[in-house]
Amino acid sequence: MTISILLKTTISILASLILAPILLGIINRVKAGFAGRVGQPLLQPYYDIFKLLKKGLFYSTTTSWIFRWGTLVSLAVIVCALLIVPCGPFPALISFKGDIFLLVYLMGVVRFITVISALDTGSSFEGMGSSREMFFSALAEPALLLALMGLAKVTDSFSLTSIANTLSATNWFNNGASLALLMGTLFIVLLSENARIPIDDPNTHLELTMIHEVMVLDHSGPDFAVINYISALKLWIFSAIIAPVLFPIHTNNIIADFSVWLSGMVLISIAVGIVESSMARLRLTVIPQFLLGATALAITAIVLTWIG
Amino acid sequence: MKVQLLLILVLLTNLKLLGSSRLGSSIRTVAIQGSLLGLLPLFIELDSLNWRVMTLAIGTVFLKGFVFANLLFRAINVANVNREVQPFAGYVSSLLYGIVALIVSFWLGQILNLGQLSYSPLIIPVSFFGIFSGLFLIVSRRRAISQVLGFLVLENGVFTFGAGIIKMTSLLVEIGILLDVFVAILVMGITVFRISQECDHIDTDKLITLKD
Amino acid sequence: MKFLFTSFGIWSFTILCLIVFGRRERLCSVAGGLGVISGSLFAIASGVTTLLSNSYECFYLNWNYIGDKISFALDPLAAWFVIPVCGLSLLAAIYAIAYDWDNETGYSKSFSWILFILLLASMVLVICAANGVVFLMAWEVMAVSSFFLVIRDSAHSHSSQDAGWIYLIATHLGTVFLVILFLLAQAQTGSFDFMVWEKQGLNIPNRSLLFLLAAIGFGTKAGFVPFHIWLPEAHPAAPSYISAVMSGVMIKTGIYGLIRSIGWFGAPIPHWWGIAVLVIGIVSGVLGVLFAIAQHDLKRLLAYHSVENIGIITIGIGVGLVGLSYDNAGLIFLGFSGAVLHVLNHAVFKGLLFLGAGSVLHSTEEREIDKMGGLLKRMPLTGVAFLIGAMAISGLPPLNGFVSELIIFISGVHSLLSKDVTIGLCGAAVVGGLALIGGLAAACFAKAFGIIFVGEPRSDKCSKAEESSPLMTIPMLVLAMLCLVIGLSGAWLVAGVAPQIVQNISKNTSLDFAGYQSQLSNALMFVGLTGGLLIVLLALFVLIKKALIKNRTVSYGLTWDCGYTRPTARMQYTASSFAQPFLELFKPILRTRHHYHVHMPDNMFPQGANFHTETPDICHTEVYRPVFLKISEILMKFRFLQHGYIQIYILYIALTLILLLIWKIR
């Protein structure tokens, strides 16, 4: 590894770590705009995280060491997952043939730990949220993996970095329909995994509507700050998978490429905000059909690549 | 290229029909599918446009996109039908069937490779998928209107096949098919209206009582 | 080979000692345990040396009765299977000493240990056998000894005995197929020797028929759907360390037999074999995990997960078979490596989970998940070990389950990227199926661990539970460490061992595996590095947090309970509720039955109410039960032959003798 590559990778990792919460801010601003309000400042997620980091902690007597240290394990896992995703022109630190699966299963670890921390509190609300979370993600995982397989099929490579590097405008020309369908599936999975409408409502804390928010009800202070940061990083990772498909532009100028990629990420956040403002949450019994529909789109995309 | 895009959109409308739950949106989807297929001969013969192709395209779009939809909407409004489709197979099963039918259609497309005869390698898969979807809709839905829709989708599948394969002589065949379908829809619409008048419902499940 | 004979010698000597010691219970336990441990160590040593030296050893004994020789062979494939068999049995033996120490079991300790040693020795013999007759004899001893162990604790429960009978009948029905296969092979080639079969290639009467016989025969032992119905009956009924051995390694002998039999059919094999095996694998995996989610009994849940993991292994074998039929080196290497590695991994984490379940059962005397809770605080070591086992079986990195599933996923991607449409479809099915299986398994174990070990105890017995003795917790911790170690060091295992094993299976020396091997090692090395990085980051974050909260206020209290004045532990989420969305979505397959009993209130206060679900195995109720009931109906018609008069029985014997005489005279 030469110094320049090492430097580039470090810069991209630092950029991801620092910029991730902005996406949440953009989504909130877009929602506020649709509602006719001015809305929170763009940097509000940062303010929230710092405010929470300064607070004290409250632990329930039911919980064990899993609850106390689980958030840190999730943070370590998701930072490792971040290292697999390429940031625009900067290649990922961990890149090998098959890193797609490592990424998806690292997210699975985060989910598993969140769920058992939630069950650790012994609260029925959190149990309900855990059950729904595992249910929907069990259905979303095939959709996600098949969509990533579709991308692999289109670019004939199966490492995220090489997929991002190989995607170009000619792919849109040749396999445009497949890529559009794959982007649709990936967007639906993004909405599902990040607890956005129409799967889950990130604003309310009522039993009827919550899946993700309820699992973190008992976390407090720095633990909750870490949880908010983890959800920001999750959104960043999922957007970073879609961004190269959206704008597969490779000039040789690093700054230009990175700006294009960043604008892709911002565009995706705006799209999430628009979807959140214009749709209502689906009934819980309809969500499996929705996710199955996403899987059907991914399979259609893969089947189309055999013809085109 | 545009032909490819059109066919993929037709395929997506079929998928939407399989997973759809409301009569109104199903009728609209079939109308959109009909309009897309009406435009198909236009895009196929984009270089050699003449007035026959244009009139045929416009006529098909008008008939399939507007007239049939209107007839069906009027039928369900007059018969005061409950707008929710009640299927025999659940939505999950329908979507799973759709995925399997899709794979089988593409496999058939590979086997029955027509090469130069077809305008696009997607013609056979999309038409077979349309036929399979139409058959499934007829078999698995309860309401008579849904079965009419299934028949329309089936005809659309056959139309796709015809339009994509033969060249100029297809126009006669297509006019013939269109007349066929028009008469069928008219008859079916009237029948449904009459059934609902006699029996106060159009649930084909309950029509078996007629056999006694 | 010498080590292996030492093992057998030690085991025979131990059986002798056990017969001699007779009634002295404690001495029997210690003697049995020591015998198993030392014998297993020697066997593992022989396996490891064979793998490291990539050697092939044979041993012959002349025997003139059936077949011409008794032969044993130890090649890398067999060595790879011997190691988990003996390793897990070793740890189970240590566990068994403590588990049975104070228990009153159905049999005397010496008989129990004799059966255990017989089971272990017969498993090793099945793997090393190179002759059909030896194979079948060892197979039979394995089945019978495990049957007796399954019904050991059934003095009080009727269902345990039924479970034993179902197991015995199922395994014998499977063995029938194997006997037919071996007889047909002998009819064609004239000998029972496996080497001869491999050289000639079996194809009479019909290769596909022989393959089907092998698949059904070995599949019954392995637990393919729909032959798996004995698994969820027998594994819960057996004592926990026996369940661990049965589930972890005994069913793998079926997989071993299937892989061995691939070599007998000669190349090239038809395409549909691989696709059929793949389909069986996906169906077993999905159905296994779905039924697992619906279970209330911890050990039954774990038994269904064995079906699921056998499905995953079979997916790997299916991909390998597809590769063999298309002569695709990548698919062969990746498919079989993944399958074989998952054999080892499953032995490790399933053994761990069953030992953990046994520990929980031992302390709480409770098997239903919904009556447990909060055991992590009361049994910390068991809890940690079970957590690692649960994360490993869900395929979460950086543990070993992820490594083997990754290999099978990569084989699926390779299939998908190939030009052939059929192979591509197989690849898509592999990825989609394995993704679904992984997601559902993670959900099931989140439920199992989450309800049993965390939260508040839901019954009195659980609140009084205590940690098990060190002899029980140490094997579990060893297995947990092994999960982590294999997860981090998978690359070296693949680099060192996989090529020889795959070469053993495919026998086609023209194929080049080196490229795929290096690609896989590269991938697994990154996985290991990620695991290491994770541990480093975690340590860093823990230090940061500890520094951060040094001067902060940390207060404690109850979980927010929405203002109820008297919350109880029974108000927590239950396992049935956790699993309910799955049971609802997959209702056509699972057909869960709901039973309600509600006492209507006659005054202001509510009366008791009772709700209970049960999910009987669909293959059992829809396929086997009706068939067997029909057969028994037909056979009832012959009841008149059995009437009890001894004179008429002797008349039957006389008639038969006269008939034989007439037949032979003609």
Side-chain angles (χ1 to χ4, degrees):
Chain A
M1 271 228 173
T2 65
I3 297 289
S4 70
I5 297 181
L6 204 59
L7 201 63
K8 282 187 205 162
T9 329
T10 324
I11 294 180
S12 71
I13 297 174
L14 281 175
S16 308
L17 288 173
I18 296 177
L19 288 174
I22 274 213
L23 295 181
L24 284 175
I26 297 177
I27 296 179
N28 285 332
R29 268 306 257 260
V30 168
K31 280 163 70 168
F34 266 85
R37 303 179 272 123
V38 172
Q40 334 168 324
L42 262 181
L43 300 179
Q44 183 63 32
Y46 293 97
Y47 302 150
D48 284 337
I49 292 179
F50 285 125
K51 173 182 75 172
L52 286 165
L53 277 175
K54 295 193 202 122
K55 292 198 167 186
L57 286 164
F58 178 89
Y59 288 126
S60 156
T61 45
T62 316
T63 57
S64 60
W65 54 267
I66 289 185
F67 188 81
R68 290 163 219 227
W69 304 110
T71 46
L72 293 182
V73 178
S74 301
L75 185 63
V77 170
I78 207 148
V79 169
C80 287
L82 191 65
L83 298 176
I84 304 181
V85 180
C87 288
F90 303 116
L93 189 60
I94 303 177
S95 149
F96 58 90
K97 289 204 165 181
D99 56 15
I100 301 176
F101 304 108
L102 185 61
L103 177 69
V104 173
Y105 275 84
L106 280 175
M107 304 296 230
V109 177
V110 174
R111 189 182 314 127
F112 191 83
I113 294 180
T114 316
V115 163
I116 52 177
S117 309
L119 287 169
D120 198 8
T121 60
S123 154
S124 328
F125 297 125
E126 312 207 8
M128 199 182 322
S130 318
S131 162
R132 292 170 181 174
E133 169 81 10
M134 292 311 289
F135 180 51
F136 295 140
S137 60
L139 296 172
E141 227 174 69
L144 177 61
L145 277 172
L146 282 171
L148 289 170
M149 286 299 103
L151 281 180
K153 182 95 182 126
V154 165
T155 57
D156 215 22
S157 62
F158 51 103
S159 158
L160 275 175
T161 312
S162 54
I163 289 180
N165 287 339
T166 322
L167 273 174
S168 64
T170 43
N171 288 111
W172 272 99
F173 204 64
N174 291 338
N175 292 320
S178 296
L179 281 178
L181 288 173
L182 288 172
M183 242 177 54
T185 311
L186 285 171
F187 191 68
I188 292 177
V189 173
L190 185 155
L191 292 174
S192 165
E193 294 287 324
N194 289 290
R196 299 270 135 204
I197 290 179
I199 312 282
D200 182 15
D201 195 343
N203 280 341
T204 72
H205 294 263
L206 307 169
E207 295 113 76
L208 285 179
T209 61
M210 57 197 181
I211 299 169
H212 206 77
E213 283 300 311
V214 69
M215 288 198 291
V216 299
L217 267 182
D218 267 89
H219 292 265
S220 53
D223 284 336
F224 196 48
V226 168
I227 296 234
N228 282 345
Y229 188 58
I230 291 177
S231 54
L233 279 179
K234 235 174 146 182
L235 184 61
W236 180 269
I237 291 177
F238 274 97
S239 308
I241 299 178
I242 305 184
V245 187
L246 189 59
F247 290 144
I249 299 176
H250 303 284
T251 62
N252 274 325
N253 189 343
I254 292 188
I255 311 276
D257 278 345
F258 192 61
S259 334
V260 166
W261 183 81
L262 266 183
S263 56
M265 302 280 276
V266 169
L267 205 66
I268 296 173
S269 308
I270 297 180
V272 172
I274 296 177
V275 165
E276 287 223 313
S277 316
S278 39
M279 283 183 77
R281 221 204 60 164
L282 292 173
R283 273 188 301 160
L284 280 176
T285 47
V286 175
I287 296 180
Q289 300 172 22
F290 190 55
L291 291 171
L292 189 61
T295 319
L297 287 181
I299 296 181
T300 315
I302 295 181
V303 171
L304 280 175
T305 57
W306 272 311
I307 301 287
Chain B
M1 175 50 203
K2 294 231 176 56
V3 173
Q4 202 113 321
L5 195 62
L6 214 59
L7 289 170
I8 292 176
L9 285 173
V10 169
L11 196 148
L12 288 175
T13 52
N14 270 323
L15 267 178
K16 175 153 198 321
L17 275 172
L18 284 173
S20 179
S21 67
R22 303 186 64 79
L23 263 182
S25 97
S26 300
I27 297 180
R28 252 169 261 145
T29 314
V30 174
I32 295 176
Q33 190 182 74
S35 322
L36 286 171
L37 282 173
L39 293 174
L40 187 65
L42 200 67
F43 280 110
I44 286 180
E45 316 239 354
L46 206 52
D47 344 310
S48 52
L49 277 182
N50 55 8
W51 64 274
R52 267 163 64 190
V53 179
M54 290 285 284
T55 25
L56 192 69
I58 296 176
T60 317
V61 170
F62 179 64
L63 213 58
K64 290 200 184 195
F66 294 102
V67 173
F68 290 164
N70 244 333
L71 276 174
L72 290 169
F73 268 120
R74 269 215 282 162
I76 64 176
N77 276 331
V78 166
N80 248 337
V81 170
N82 183 358
R83 293 293 185 112
E84 182 103 13
V85 169
Q86 291 167 351
F88 284 117
Y91 303 117
V92 174
S93 321
S94 310
L95 270 177
L96 284 174
Y97 170 86
I99 295 176
V100 172
L102 190 67
I103 296 178
V104 171
S105 317
F106 274 87
W107 179 66
L108 280 173
Q110 292 274 336
I111 293 187
L112 305 169
N113 193 7
L114 287 181
Q116 286 302 93
L117 278 177
S118 64
Y119 286 106
S120 156
L122 275 177
I123 294 275
I124 296 188
V126 174
S127 62
F128 269 109
F129 187 56
I131 295 174
F132 290 140
S133 311
L135 283 171
F136 185 75
L137 285 173
I138 295 178
V139 167
S140 73
R141 306 285 193 238
R142 278 214 178 99
R143 298 263 183 247
I145 292 285
S146 314
Q147 294 179 339
V148 171
L149 285 174
F151 175 72
L152 272 176
V153 173
L154 190 64
E155 289 287 337
N156 281 346
V158 178
F159 181 87
T160 321
F161 194 76
I165 301 291
I166 329 168
K167 256 198 151 211
M168 288 304 278
T169 50
S170 64
L171 298 178
L172 274 171
V173 180
E174 278 152 15
I175 296 178
I177 294 179
L178 271 176
L179 270 176
D180 219 339
V181 177
F182 179 68
V183 172
I185 295 296
L186 204 58
V187 169
M188 276 193 246
I190 296 175
T191 320
V192 165
F193 180 58
R194 287 293 170 205
I195 294 177
S196 81
Q197 275 202 321
E198 290 299 317
C199 313
D200 281 331
H201 63 79
I202 55 167
D203 213 338
T204 50
D205 207 27
K206 302 189 191 132
L207 283 177
I208 58 171
T209 53
L210 282 174
K211 76 176 185 223
D212 296 323
Chain C
M1 211 66 175
K2 296 193 281 286
F3 287 145
L4 213 55
F5 290 133
T6 329
S7 304
F8 280 109
I10 295 179
W11 289 330
S12 324
F13 179 65
T14 319
I15 294 185
L16 240 77
C17 290
L18 284 170
I19 298 179
V20 162
F21 290 154
R23 289 284 137 193
R24 307 217 283 269
E25 303 269 295
R26 302 272 159 103
L27 193 56
C28 278
S29 294
V30 174
L34 281 176
V36 169
I37 295 171
S38 42
S40 308
L41 282 173
F42 276 104
I44 296 177
S46 84
V48 169
T49 47
T50 311
L51 276 176
L52 287 178
S53 58
N54 194 10
S55 63
Y56 172 79
E57 295 175 54
C58 250
F59 174 75
Y60 291 97
L61 258 183
N62 277 321
W63 191 38
N64 290 320
Y65 293 107
I66 310 178
D68 30 21
K69 307 186 178 66
I70 300 180
S71 42
F72 306 98
L74 195 62
D75 57 2
L77 179 66
W80 180 264
F81 275 86
V82 164
I83 295 178
V85 167
C86 294
L88 190 61
S89 307
L90 197 159
L91 293 168
I94 302 177
Y95 186 93
I97 299 178
Y99 192 78
D100 285 337
W101 197 250
D102 294 318
N103 268 359
E104 267 308 311
T105 62
Y107 308 148
S108 64
K109 293 277 190 311
S110 65
F111 188 43
S112 206
W113 278 103
I114 292 178
L115 286 172
F116 188 46
I117 295 180
L118 276 177
L119 177 62
L120 175 56
S122 56
M123 283 196 284
V124 175
L125 216 56
V126 160
I127 298 176
C128 298
N131 176 306
V133 175
V134 176
F135 188 92
L136 281 177
M137 293 206 300
W139 193 260
E140 202 41 44
V141 173
M142 194 170 70
V144 170
S145 55
S146 49
F147 165 69
F148 279 113
L149 282 169
V150 162
I151 62 171
R152 187 187 85 168
D153 288 334
S154 70
H156 312 291
S157 78
H158 209 57
S159 59
S160 247
Q161 287 216 340
D162 285 343
W165 285 120
I166 293 181
Y167 170 47
L168 196 63
I169 295 173
T171 188
H172 277 117
L173 280 179
T175 314
V176 165
F177 287 93
L178 286 181
V179 169
I180 300 178
L181 170 67
F182 286 2
L183 284 176
L184 283 175
Q186 195 254 1
Q188 179 197 332
T189 59
S191 125
F192 276 108
D193 202 288
F194 289 174
M195 290 303 319
V196 174
W197 293 355
E198 261 178 43
K199 236 179 283 219
Q200 287 205 12
L202 303 177
N203 49 18
I204 295 172
N206 186 355
R207 270 206 304 179
S208 301
L209 177 68
L210 294 174
F211 179 70
L212 270 174
L213 286 173
I216 298 179
F218 289 121
T220 313
K221 179 62 81 179
F224 293 165
V225 167
F227 312 118
H228 68 286
I229 54 167
W230 61 271
L231 256 162
E233 309 287 336
H235 288 187
S240 303
Y241 60 94
I242 295 296
S243 308
V245 168
M246 281 173 70
S247 192
V249 289
M250 198 187 75
I251 53 184
K252 304 307 186 326
T253 54
I255 296 286
Y256 170 78
L258 188 63
I259 299 183
R260 227 347 134 205
S261 66
I262 296 174
W264 300 337
F265 295 112
I269 61 178
H271 299 314
W272 68 266
W273 286 10
I275 299 179
V277 172
L278 194 63
V279 167
I280 292 179
I282 297 180
V283 169
S284 302
V286 174
L287 276 182
V289 75
L290 279 180
F291 277 102
I293 294 182
Q295 301 306 319
H296 304 293
D297 182 331
L298 178 59
K299 287 175 79 170
R300 233 179 125 92
L301 186 146
L302 291 175
Y304 271 113
H305 272 287
S306 295
V307 175
E308 168 221 332
N309 280 289
I310 289 287
I312 298 179
I313 297 174
T314 318
I315 292 179
I317 297 180
V319 172
L321 278 176
V322 168
L324 273 177
S325 63
Y326 280 93
D327 259 340
N328 185 327
L331 291 184
I332 298 178
F333 181 73
L334 292 168
F336 283 119
S337 312
V340 153
L341 186 60
H342 203 76
V343 164
L344 175 66
N345 287 341
H346 183 234
V348 173
F349 52 64
K350 190 41 75 67
L352 170 59
L353 286 169
F354 264 111
L355 292 182
S359 173
V360 165
L361 214 101
H362 191 80
S363 304
T364 62
E365 280 155 46
E366 189 59 72
R367 251 162 68 165
E368 223 182 281
I369 300 180
D370 271 326
K371 298 234 174 67
M372 307 191 201
L375 288 178
L376 186 61
K377 286 191 186 159
R378 291 155 182 83
M379 304 172 69
L381 292 173
T382 311
V384 168
F386 198 91
L387 176 63
I388 296 185
M391 288 180 76
I393 200 173
S394 314
L396 299 179
L399 300 171
N400 56 356
F402 175 67
V403 172
S404 42
E405 285 191 21
L406 178 68
I407 301 179
I408 301 183
F409 267 123
I410 294 182
S411 74
V413 180
H414 265 294
S415 319
L416 190 63
L417 292 181
S418 87
K419 298 289 170 242
D420 192 292
V421 176
T422 324
I423 302 185
L425 270 177
C426 289
V430 165
V431 172
L434 206 52
L436 184 64
I437 294 174
L440 291 173
C444 188
F445 272 98
K447 165 188 121 171
F449 182 79
I451 305 285
I452 297 179
F453 284 96
V454 292
E456 290 289 334
R458 292 175 179 79
S459 70
D460 288 325
K461 284 193 201 153
C462 282
S463 35
K464 299 201 199 85
E466 274 174 11
E467 183 61 88
S468 313
S469 79
L471 274 180
M472 285 169 78
T473 51
I474 289 182
M476 293 197 280
L477 291 173
V478 166
L479 285 170
M481 279 312 312
L482 215 58
C483 282
L484 189 60
V485 164
I486 298 181
L488 293 176
S489 66
W492 289 278
L493 270 176
V494 164
V497 161
Q500 308 138 319
I501 300 181
V502 178
Q503 196 66 273
N504 239 340
I505 303 175
S506 91
K507 315 243 179 283
N508 184 348
T509 43
S510 65
L511 292 172
D512 176 34
F513 296 132
Y516 296 102
Q517 178 192 358
S518 60
Q519 185 191 84
L520 197 57
S521 307
N522 186 33
L524 293 182
M525 188 186 71
F526 268 108
V527 170
L529 282 177
T530 314
L533 182 63
L534 213 142
I535 297 177
V536 167
L537 278 176
L538 180 61
L540 186 67
F541 290 143
V542 167
L543 287 172
I544 295 180
K545 178 173 174 181
K546 284 205 149 124
L548 202 64
I549 65 173
K550 216 189 268 287
N551 297 325
R552 298 281 175 82
T553 49
V554 180
S555 33
Y556 299 90
L558 283 180
T559 309
W560 179 59
D561 49 12
C562 216
Y564 285 147
T565 44
R566 304 208 0 134
T568 78
R570 297 292 301 277
M571 284 180 186
Q572 293 175 96
Y573 220 56
T574 61
S576 321
S577 319
F578 198 100
Q580 191 264 347
F582 296 93
L583 301 182
E584 198 53 48
L585 182 64
F586 293 102
K587 208 167 21 171
I589 305 177
L590 289 176
R591 306 196 196 181
T592 312
R593 298 185 201 155
H594 303 276
H595 303 280
Y596 296 89
H597 299 288
V598 178
H599 301 291
M600 298 315 290
D602 49 304
N603 54 16
M604 286 189 284
F605 297 102
Q607 305 296 318
N610 201 314
F611 172 72
H612 165 72
T613 59
E614 69 172 334
T615 315
D617 194 314
I618 187 179
C619 296
H620 193 112
T621 49
E622 304 293 320
V623 176
Y624 291 103
R625 200 140 224 249
V627 167
F628 281 120
L629 280 176
K630 199 77 198 159
I631 294 179
S632 119
E633 239 181 76
I634 297 177
L635 290 178
M636 277 297 205
K637 305 220 172 79
F638 293 98
R639 205 75 170 76
F640 70 90
L641 287 172
Q642 276 213 331
H643 37 56
Y645 287 116
I646 198 166
Q647 296 94 317
I648 310 203
Y649 289 153
I650 299 185
L651 185 60
Y652 287 160
I653 299 176
L655 277 174
T656 320
L657 283 173
I658 296 175
L659 278 172
L660 278 174
L661 198 61
I662 298 177
W663 182 41
K664 271 303 165 185
I665 287 183
R666 280 150 107 281

